[in-house]
Amino acid sequence: MANQLSGKDILEKNFKTGMRGYNQEEVDEYLDVIIQDYEYFQEEMNRLQQENERLRKQSDHTRIRPSTSNHQVNYDILKRLSNLEKAVFGKKYEE
C-alpha cells in the first residue's frame, strides 16, 4: 500500500469553513502535530527499508554451515531408531 499523502499535502490542505465550523487555529495546530508524526514515520520506514536491504545483502554473503557432521547426525538417527524399536517391541526385541 503506497502513501497517499505527504507532509506537504497535509500542510497545504485547505478546508471550507461554515457558520459553525471548527476553530481554524486549533485545526492547524493539530495538523502540525500530524505532519511531524507523519514525517517521523516516513523517515523510520526509509531507515528500516535500508537496514532490511543491508541485512539481506549481508545474508547473501554469509551462509550458515551445519554445526554437526553427517556422521553425528547419522548416529543420532540410529540411536533414536533403536529407542523407538525398544519402545514398540519391548523386551522381545532385546532378546
Side-chain angles (χ1 to χ4, degrees), residues 72-85:
Q72 182 67 32
V73 173
N74 288 341
Y75 177 75
D76 288 343
I77 291 172
L78 290 174
K79 187 172 182 178
R80 288 179 184 177
L81 182 60
S82 175
N83 290 337
L84 180 62
E85 288 174 339

Side-chain angles (χ1 to χ4, degrees), residues 6-19:
S6 68
K8 184 179 178 186
D9 293 334
I10 296 170
L11 178 65
E12 294 177 352
K13 176 67 177 167
N14 289 319
F15 296 95
K16 297 178 183 176
T17 56
M19 260 179 93

Side-chain angles (χ1 to χ4, degrees), residues 45-79:
M45 277 185 12
N46 291 338
R47 185 189 69 77
L48 291 172
Q49 286 172 344
Q50 289 173 356
E51 182 179 355
N52 191 13
E53 185 63 29
R54 180 185 60 82
L55 291 172
R56 197 174 282 137
K57 287 179 182 177
Q58 183 180 356
S59 71
D60 288 344
H61 297 295
T62 307
R63 297 288 180 196
I64 299 173
R65 296 181 183 160
S67 60
T68 59
S69 68
N70 194 23
H71 174 72
Q72 182 67 32
V73 173
N74 288 341
Y75 177 75
D76 288 343
I77 291 172
L78 290 174
K79 187 172 182 178

Side-chain angles (χ1 to χ4, degrees), residues 1 6 11 15 18 23 29 32 34 36 38-39 41 56 62-63 66 71 78 81 85 89 92:
M1 182 160 122
S6 68
L11 178 65
F15 296 95
N23 180 341
E29 289 173 5
D32 289 342
I34 292 172
Q36 290 172 357
Y38 194 86
E39 289 173 348
F41 290 126
R56 197 174 282 137
T62 307
R63 297 288 180 196
H71 174 72
L78 290 174
L81 182 60
E85 288 174 339
F89 296 112
K92 291 180 182 179

